[in-house]
mmCIF file of all heavy atoms in Angstrom:
data_model
loop_
_atom_site.group_PDB
_atom_site.id
_atom_site.type_symbol
_atom_site.label_atom_id
_atom_site.label_comp_id
_atom_site.label_asym_id
_atom_site.label_seq_id
_atom_site.Cartn_x
_atom_site.Cartn_y
_atom_site.Cartn_z
ATOM 1 N N VAL A 369 3.239 -13.423 -0.762
ATOM 2 C CA VAL A 369 3.019 -12.240 0.061
ATOM 3 C C VAL A 369 3.967 -11.080 -0.385
ATOM 4 O O VAL A 369 3.592 -9.955 -0.531
ATOM 5 C CB VAL A 369 3.131 -12.500 1.585
ATOM 6 C CG1 VAL A 369 2.823 -11.204 2.415
ATOM 7 C CG2 VAL A 369 2.013 -13.618 1.944
ATOM 8 N N GLY A 370 5.325 -11.453 -0.460
ATOM 9 C CA GLY A 370 6.226 -10.432 -0.854
ATOM 10 C C GLY A 370 6.062 -9.942 -2.248
ATOM 11 O O GLY A 370 6.231 -8.744 -2.542
ATOM 12 N N ILE A 371 5.695 -10.861 -3.185
ATOM 13 C CA ILE A 371 5.377 -10.443 -4.562
ATOM 14 C C ILE A 371 4.232 -9.515 -4.634
ATOM 15 O O ILE A 371 4.300 -8.416 -5.288
ATOM 16 C CB ILE A 371 5.167 -11.635 -5.468
ATOM 17 C CG1 ILE A 371 6.431 -12.544 -5.576
ATOM 18 C CG2 ILE A 371 4.706 -11.279 -6.831
ATOM 19 C CD1 ILE A 371 6.197 -13.855 -6.248
ATOM 20 N N ALA A 372 3.178 -9.796 -3.888
ATOM 21 C CA ALA A 372 1.929 -9.023 -3.890
ATOM 22 C C ALA A 372 2.234 -7.669 -3.293
ATOM 23 O O ALA A 372 1.795 -6.635 -3.681
ATOM 24 C CB ALA A 372 0.859 -9.692 -3.106
ATOM 25 N N THR A 373 3.083 -7.588 -2.252
ATOM 26 C CA THR A 373 3.492 -6.342 -1.562
ATOM 27 C C THR A 373 4.203 -5.501 -2.483
ATOM 28 O O THR A 373 3.829 -4.324 -2.643
ATOM 29 C CB THR A 373 4.303 -6.597 -0.328
ATOM 30 O OG1 THR A 373 3.439 -7.368 0.668
ATOM 31 C CG2 THR A 373 4.683 -5.379 0.337
ATOM 32 N N ALA A 374 5.225 -5.989 -3.110
ATOM 33 C CA ALA A 374 6.003 -5.155 -4.019
ATOM 34 C C ALA A 374 5.214 -4.612 -5.185
ATOM 35 O O ALA A 374 5.262 -3.479 -5.536
ATOM 36 C CB ALA A 374 7.238 -5.984 -4.540
ATOM 37 N N TRP A 375 4.324 -5.569 -5.748
ATOM 38 C CA TRP A 375 3.480 -5.048 -6.891
ATOM 39 C C TRP A 375 2.442 -4.001 -6.482
ATOM 40 O O TRP A 375 2.346 -3.037 -7.192
ATOM 41 C CB TRP A 375 2.771 -6.313 -7.451
ATOM 42 C CG TRP A 375 1.979 -5.995 -8.611
ATOM 43 C CD1 TRP A 375 2.432 -5.978 -9.928
ATOM 44 C CD2 TRP A 375 0.575 -5.551 -8.793
ATOM 45 N NE1 TRP A 375 1.495 -5.634 -10.863
ATOM 46 C CE2 TRP A 375 0.355 -5.360 -10.123
ATOM 47 C CE3 TRP A 375 -0.369 -5.371 -7.871
ATOM 48 C CZ2 TRP A 375 -0.958 -4.936 -10.580
ATOM 49 C CZ3 TRP A 375 -1.642 -4.937 -8.280
ATOM 50 C CH2 TRP A 375 -1.846 -4.750 -9.607
ATOM 51 N N THR A 376 1.741 -4.211 -5.329
ATOM 52 C CA THR A 376 0.787 -3.174 -4.979
ATOM 53 C C THR A 376 1.395 -1.871 -4.481
ATOM 54 O O THR A 376 0.970 -0.803 -4.797
ATOM 55 C CB THR A 376 -0.072 -3.740 -3.846
ATOM 56 O OG1 THR A 376 0.765 -4.113 -2.694
ATOM 57 C CG2 THR A 376 -1.000 -4.919 -4.227
ATOM 58 N N ASN A 377 2.551 -1.920 -3.885
ATOM 59 C CA ASN A 377 3.353 -0.668 -3.611
ATOM 60 C C ASN A 377 3.707 0.064 -4.834
ATOM 61 O O ASN A 377 3.501 1.295 -4.921
ATOM 62 C CB ASN A 377 4.627 -1.013 -2.784
ATOM 63 C CG ASN A 377 4.293 -1.574 -1.384
ATOM 64 O OD1 ASN A 377 3.159 -1.515 -1.030
ATOM 65 N ND2 ASN A 377 5.332 -1.956 -0.729
ATOM 66 N N LEU A 378 4.243 -0.565 -5.801
ATOM 67 C CA LEU A 378 4.608 -0.013 -7.053
ATOM 68 C C LEU A 378 3.404 0.472 -7.871
ATOM 69 O O LEU A 378 3.525 1.590 -8.441
ATOM 70 C CB LEU A 378 5.473 -0.921 -7.906
ATOM 71 C CG LEU A 378 6.869 -1.219 -7.416
ATOM 72 C CD1 LEU A 378 7.532 -2.364 -8.157
ATOM 73 C CD2 LEU A 378 7.747 0.059 -7.482
ATOM 74 N N HIS A 379 2.363 -0.280 -7.724
ATOM 75 C CA HIS A 379 1.124 0.247 -8.457
ATOM 76 C C HIS A 379 0.618 1.531 -7.839
ATOM 77 O O HIS A 379 0.285 2.478 -8.624
ATOM 78 C CB HIS A 379 0.035 -0.839 -8.293
ATOM 79 C CG HIS A 379 -1.301 -0.442 -8.856
ATOM 80 N ND1 HIS A 379 -1.478 -0.359 -10.209
ATOM 81 C CD2 HIS A 379 -2.531 -0.141 -8.267
ATOM 82 C CE1 HIS A 379 -2.756 -0.012 -10.413
ATOM 83 N NE2 HIS A 379 -3.337 0.237 -9.272
ATOM 84 N N TYR A 380 0.656 1.703 -6.581
ATOM 85 C CA TYR A 380 0.254 2.978 -5.926
ATOM 86 C C TYR A 380 1.288 4.135 -6.321
ATOM 87 O O TYR A 380 0.923 5.229 -6.678
ATOM 88 C CB TYR A 380 0.202 2.856 -4.438
ATOM 89 C CG TYR A 380 0.025 4.178 -3.789
ATOM 90 C CD1 TYR A 380 -1.158 4.890 -3.851
ATOM 91 C CD2 TYR A 380 1.101 4.754 -3.000
ATOM 92 C CE1 TYR A 380 -1.289 6.164 -3.260
ATOM 93 C CE2 TYR A 380 1.006 5.971 -2.424
ATOM 94 C CZ TYR A 380 -0.210 6.701 -2.546
ATOM 95 O OH TYR A 380 -0.305 7.877 -1.896
ATOM 96 N N LEU A 381 2.562 3.768 -6.304
ATOM 97 C CA LEU A 381 3.565 4.813 -6.553
ATOM 98 C C LEU A 381 3.528 5.377 -7.950
ATOM 99 O O LEU A 381 3.900 6.531 -8.164
ATOM 100 C CB LEU A 381 5.018 4.196 -6.195
ATOM 101 C CG LEU A 381 5.274 3.923 -4.768
ATOM 102 C CD1 LEU A 381 6.604 3.190 -4.627
ATOM 103 C CD2 LEU A 381 5.284 5.220 -3.904
ATOM 104 N N TYR A 382 3.043 4.494 -8.864
ATOM 105 C CA TYR A 382 3.102 4.927 -10.276
ATOM 106 C C TYR A 382 1.715 5.078 -10.933
ATOM 107 O O TYR A 382 1.679 5.350 -12.085
ATOM 108 C CB TYR A 382 3.987 3.996 -11.019
ATOM 109 C CG TYR A 382 5.436 4.209 -10.818
ATOM 110 C CD1 TYR A 382 6.145 3.442 -9.913
ATOM 111 C CD2 TYR A 382 6.214 5.293 -11.321
ATOM 112 C CE1 TYR A 382 7.514 3.688 -9.685
ATOM 113 C CE2 TYR A 382 7.462 5.511 -11.074
ATOM 114 C CZ TYR A 382 8.191 4.737 -10.230
ATOM 115 O OH TYR A 382 9.489 4.898 -9.975
ATOM 116 N N ARG A 383 0.659 4.753 -10.267
ATOM 117 C CA ARG A 383 -0.665 4.821 -10.927
ATOM 118 C C ARG A 383 -0.929 6.254 -11.313
ATOM 119 O O ARG A 383 -0.489 7.237 -10.651
ATOM 120 C CB ARG A 383 -1.747 4.306 -10.024
ATOM 121 C CG ARG A 383 -1.977 5.068 -8.717
ATOM 122 C CD ARG A 383 -3.085 4.409 -7.875
ATOM 123 N NE ARG A 383 -4.340 4.438 -8.504
ATOM 124 C CZ ARG A 383 -5.454 4.067 -7.911
ATOM 125 N NH1 ARG A 383 -5.494 3.609 -6.739
ATOM 126 N NH2 ARG A 383 -6.668 4.093 -8.593
ATOM 127 N N ALA A 384 -1.774 6.434 -12.376
ATOM 128 C CA ALA A 384 -1.965 7.723 -12.985
ATOM 129 C C ALA A 384 -2.611 8.750 -11.952
ATOM 130 O O ALA A 384 -2.181 9.880 -11.780
ATOM 131 C CB ALA A 384 -2.759 7.649 -14.227
ATOM 132 N N LYS A 385 -3.745 8.333 -11.375
ATOM 133 C CA LYS A 385 -4.576 9.263 -10.532
ATOM 134 C C LYS A 385 -4.880 8.512 -9.291
ATOM 135 O O LYS A 385 -6.131 7.963 -9.187
ATOM 136 C CB LYS A 385 -5.757 9.703 -11.286
ATOM 137 C CG LYS A 385 -5.455 10.592 -12.460
ATOM 138 C CD LYS A 385 -6.680 11.084 -13.130
ATOM 139 C CE LYS A 385 -6.421 12.011 -14.350
ATOM 140 N NZ LYS A 385 -7.622 12.466 -14.989
ATOM 141 N N PRO A 386 -4.043 8.497 -8.223
ATOM 142 C CA PRO A 386 -4.509 7.866 -6.899
ATOM 143 C C PRO A 386 -5.637 8.595 -6.335
ATOM 144 O O PRO A 386 -5.864 9.871 -6.555
ATOM 145 C CB PRO A 386 -3.199 8.017 -6.043
ATOM 146 C CG PRO A 386 -2.439 9.201 -6.683
ATOM 147 C CD PRO A 386 -2.748 9.143 -8.183
ATOM 148 N N GLY A 387 -6.472 7.852 -5.607
ATOM 149 C CA GLY A 387 -7.579 8.462 -4.834
ATOM 150 C C GLY A 387 -7.118 9.377 -3.785
ATOM 151 O O GLY A 387 -5.919 9.333 -3.387
ATOM 152 N N VAL A 388 -8.010 10.305 -3.378
ATOM 153 C CA VAL A 388 -7.610 11.307 -2.451
ATOM 154 C C VAL A 388 -7.205 10.760 -1.123
ATOM 155 O O VAL A 388 -6.377 11.396 -0.434
ATOM 156 C CB VAL A 388 -8.815 12.307 -2.233
ATOM 157 C CG1 VAL A 388 -10.028 11.598 -1.451
ATOM 158 C CG2 VAL A 388 -8.440 13.525 -1.494
ATOM 159 N N LEU A 389 -7.617 9.564 -0.576
ATOM 160 C CA LEU A 389 -7.187 8.936 0.594
ATOM 161 C C LEU A 389 -6.492 7.635 0.375
ATOM 162 O O LEU A 389 -6.357 6.823 1.337
ATOM 163 C CB LEU A 389 -8.440 8.816 1.535
ATOM 164 C CG LEU A 389 -8.945 10.061 2.161
ATOM 165 C CD1 LEU A 389 -10.146 9.672 3.176
ATOM 166 C CD2 LEU A 389 -7.843 10.826 2.919
ATOM 167 N N ASP A 390 -6.014 7.448 -0.846
ATOM 168 C CA ASP A 390 -5.303 6.198 -1.124
ATOM 169 C C ASP A 390 -4.043 6.095 -0.258
ATOM 170 O O ASP A 390 -3.562 5.003 0.147
ATOM 171 C CB ASP A 390 -4.872 6.056 -2.557
ATOM 172 C CG ASP A 390 -6.017 5.512 -3.429
ATOM 173 O OD1 ASP A 390 -7.178 5.326 -2.819
ATOM 174 O OD2 ASP A 390 -5.981 5.423 -4.639
ATOM 175 N N TRP A 391 -3.428 7.265 0.040
ATOM 176 C CA TRP A 391 -2.183 7.322 0.949
ATOM 177 C C TRP A 391 -2.507 6.611 2.284
ATOM 178 O O TRP A 391 -1.706 5.914 2.866
ATOM 179 C CB TRP A 391 -1.736 8.665 1.095
ATOM 180 C CG TRP A 391 -2.583 9.611 1.853
ATOM 181 C CD1 TRP A 391 -3.517 10.411 1.330
ATOM 182 C CD2 TRP A 391 -2.716 9.724 3.300
ATOM 183 N NE1 TRP A 391 -4.279 11.083 2.391
ATOM 184 C CE2 TRP A 391 -3.725 10.725 3.596
ATOM 185 C CE3 TRP A 391 -1.940 9.152 4.364
ATOM 186 C CZ2 TRP A 391 -4.046 11.043 4.935
ATOM 187 C CZ3 TRP A 391 -2.288 9.542 5.620
ATOM 188 C CH2 TRP A 391 -3.347 10.460 5.894
ATOM 189 N N LEU A 392 -3.733 6.917 2.805
ATOM 190 C CA LEU A 392 -4.139 6.379 4.158
ATOM 191 C C LEU A 392 -4.366 4.857 3.988
ATOM 192 O O LEU A 392 -3.924 4.113 4.949
ATOM 193 C CB LEU A 392 -5.395 7.091 4.604
ATOM 194 C CG LEU A 392 -5.869 6.707 5.998
ATOM 195 C CD1 LEU A 392 -4.787 6.708 7.080
ATOM 196 C CD2 LEU A 392 -7.022 7.551 6.357
ATOM 197 N N LYS A 393 -4.965 4.402 2.924
ATOM 198 C CA LYS A 393 -5.175 3.022 2.670
ATOM 199 C C LYS A 393 -3.861 2.283 2.634
ATOM 200 O O LYS A 393 -3.720 1.164 3.189
ATOM 201 C CB LYS A 393 -6.096 2.781 1.510
ATOM 202 C CG LYS A 393 -7.550 3.257 1.650
ATOM 203 C CD LYS A 393 -8.285 2.973 0.323
ATOM 204 C CE LYS A 393 -9.604 3.478 0.453
ATOM 205 N NZ LYS A 393 -10.495 3.294 -0.744
ATOM 206 N N GLU A 394 -2.940 2.807 1.919
ATOM 207 C CA GLU A 394 -1.546 2.236 1.804
ATOM 208 C C GLU A 394 -0.864 2.236 3.155
ATOM 209 O O GLU A 394 -0.201 1.230 3.450
ATOM 210 C CB GLU A 394 -0.744 3.005 0.805
ATOM 211 C CG GLU A 394 -1.247 2.812 -0.649
ATOM 212 C CD GLU A 394 -1.176 1.429 -1.143
ATOM 213 O OE1 GLU A 394 -0.051 0.901 -1.253
ATOM 214 O OE2 GLU A 394 -2.248 0.849 -1.444
ATOM 215 N N HIS A 395 -1.029 3.295 3.885
ATOM 216 C CA HIS A 395 -0.405 3.355 5.233
ATOM 217 C C HIS A 395 -0.934 2.210 6.114
ATOM 218 O O HIS A 395 -0.208 1.558 6.808
ATOM 219 C CB HIS A 395 -0.814 4.692 5.850
ATOM 220 C CG HIS A 395 -0.367 4.804 7.279
ATOM 221 N ND1 HIS A 395 0.994 4.859 7.722
ATOM 222 C CD2 HIS A 395 -1.165 4.918 8.440
ATOM 223 C CE1 HIS A 395 1.018 4.991 9.058
ATOM 224 N NE2 HIS A 395 -0.303 5.013 9.472
ATOM 225 N N ILE A 396 -2.300 1.982 6.041
ATOM 226 C CA ILE A 396 -2.871 0.932 6.775
ATOM 227 C C ILE A 396 -2.370 -0.366 6.353
ATOM 228 O O ILE A 396 -2.096 -1.230 7.147
ATOM 229 C CB ILE A 396 -4.480 1.025 6.681
ATOM 230 C CG1 ILE A 396 -4.940 2.314 7.417
ATOM 231 C CG2 ILE A 396 -5.120 -0.210 7.278
ATOM 232 C CD1 ILE A 396 -6.395 2.595 7.079
ATOM 233 N N LYS A 397 -2.398 -0.573 5.039
ATOM 234 C CA LYS A 397 -1.945 -1.869 4.509
ATOM 235 C C LYS A 397 -0.560 -2.241 4.955
ATOM 236 O O LYS A 397 -0.262 -3.370 5.316
ATOM 237 C CB LYS A 397 -1.991 -1.844 2.979
ATOM 238 C CG LYS A 397 -1.527 -3.049 2.276
ATOM 239 C CD LYS A 397 -1.127 -2.767 0.863
ATOM 240 C CE LYS A 397 0.228 -2.126 0.730
ATOM 241 N NZ LYS A 397 0.668 -1.871 -0.692
ATOM 242 N N ALA A 398 0.327 -1.233 4.895
ATOM 243 C CA ALA A 398 1.740 -1.528 5.152
ATOM 244 C C ALA A 398 2.075 -1.760 6.621
ATOM 245 O O ALA A 398 2.677 -2.723 6.922
ATOM 246 C CB ALA A 398 2.586 -0.289 4.633
ATOM 247 N N LEU A 399 1.467 -0.946 7.480
ATOM 248 C CA LEU A 399 1.803 -1.103 8.894
ATOM 249 C C LEU A 399 1.098 -2.219 9.575
ATOM 250 O O LEU A 399 1.632 -2.894 10.441
ATOM 251 C CB LEU A 399 1.616 0.265 9.582
ATOM 252 C CG LEU A 399 2.599 1.327 9.177
ATOM 253 C CD1 LEU A 399 2.494 2.609 10.065
ATOM 254 C CD2 LEU A 399 4.091 0.846 9.174
ATOM 255 N N VAL A 400 -0.127 -2.515 9.136
ATOM 256 C CA VAL A 400 -0.776 -3.635 9.633
ATOM 257 C C VAL A 400 -0.081 -4.941 9.022
ATOM 258 O O VAL A 400 0.131 -5.922 9.766
ATOM 259 C CB VAL A 400 -2.290 -3.729 9.215
ATOM 260 C CG1 VAL A 400 -2.864 -5.099 9.586
ATOM 261 C CG2 VAL A 400 -2.999 -2.631 9.924
ATOM 262 N N GLY A 401 0.413 -4.843 7.826
ATOM 263 C CA GLY A 401 1.146 -5.926 7.281
ATOM 264 C C GLY A 401 2.539 -6.179 8.055
ATOM 265 O O GLY A 401 2.845 -7.415 8.220
ATOM 266 N N ALA A 402 3.175 -5.171 8.449
ATOM 267 C CA ALA A 402 4.358 -5.320 9.255
ATOM 268 C C ALA A 402 3.962 -5.944 10.602
ATOM 269 O O ALA A 402 4.690 -6.737 11.096
ATOM 270 C CB ALA A 402 4.930 -3.961 9.575
ATOM 271 N N GLY A 403 2.727 -5.632 11.112
ATOM 272 C CA GLY A 403 2.248 -6.265 12.363
ATOM 273 C C GLY A 403 2.142 -7.724 12.118
ATOM 274 O O GLY A 403 2.407 -8.525 13.065
ATOM 275 N N ILE A 404 1.516 -8.042 10.993
ATOM 276 C CA ILE A 404 1.350 -9.454 10.675
ATOM 277 C C ILE A 404 2.629 -10.229 10.768
ATOM 278 O O ILE A 404 2.753 -11.335 11.307
ATOM 279 C CB ILE A 404 0.728 -9.636 9.327
ATOM 280 C CG1 ILE A 404 -0.666 -9.033 9.264
ATOM 281 C CG2 ILE A 404 0.672 -11.158 8.917
ATOM 282 C CD1 ILE A 404 -1.312 -9.040 7.864
ATOM 283 N N SER A 405 3.734 -9.563 10.208
ATOM 284 C CA SER A 405 4.919 -10.263 10.131
ATOM 285 C C SER A 405 5.640 -10.542 11.449
ATOM 286 O O SER A 405 6.124 -11.626 11.718
ATOM 287 C CB SER A 405 5.963 -9.371 9.236
ATOM 288 O OG SER A 405 6.415 -8.275 10.055
ATOM 289 N N VAL A 406 5.386 -9.604 12.386
ATOM 290 C CA VAL A 406 6.014 -9.850 13.751
ATOM 291 C C VAL A 406 5.215 -10.965 14.456
ATOM 292 O O VAL A 406 5.816 -11.725 15.233
ATOM 293 C CB VAL A 406 6.077 -8.488 14.564
ATOM 294 C CG1 VAL A 406 4.735 -8.019 15.054
ATOM 295 C CG2 VAL A 406 7.035 -8.677 15.779
ATOM 296 N N TYR A 407 3.910 -10.926 14.307
ATOM 297 C CA TYR A 407 3.127 -11.968 14.991
ATOM 298 C C TYR A 407 3.370 -13.412 14.385
ATOM 299 O O TYR A 407 3.373 -14.416 15.025
ATOM 300 C CB TYR A 407 1.615 -11.645 15.129
ATOM 301 C CG TYR A 407 1.426 -10.659 16.286
ATOM 302 C CD1 TYR A 407 1.251 -9.352 16.048
ATOM 303 C CD2 TYR A 407 1.250 -11.270 17.568
ATOM 304 C CE1 TYR A 407 1.027 -8.510 17.081
ATOM 305 C CE2 TYR A 407 0.989 -10.367 18.645
ATOM 306 C CZ TYR A 407 0.926 -8.966 18.406
ATOM 307 O OH TYR A 407 0.642 -8.220 19.480
#
């Protein structure tokens, strides 16, 4: 889970042309992921 998180985060941060709403998808992924961790 940690490896996949770091890899997908870096992929978004450095990909050539992110989609127009990819920031929102990443926001959802990250904060729901944080919610998973607390539960």
Side-chain angles (χ1 to χ4, degrees):
V369 177
I371 294 170
T373 296
W375 185 86
T376 56
N377 289 356
L378 289 169
H379 176 69
Y380 169 70
L381 291 172
Y382 285 100
R383 64 182 296 185
K385 293 182 179 180
V388 68
L389 286 182
D390 279 1
W391 66 266
L392 181 54
K393 294 180 181 180
E394 290 298 297
H395 172 68
I396 292 169
K397 177 200 76 177
L399 293 187
V400 173
I404 295 173
S405 71
V406 72
Y407 278 97

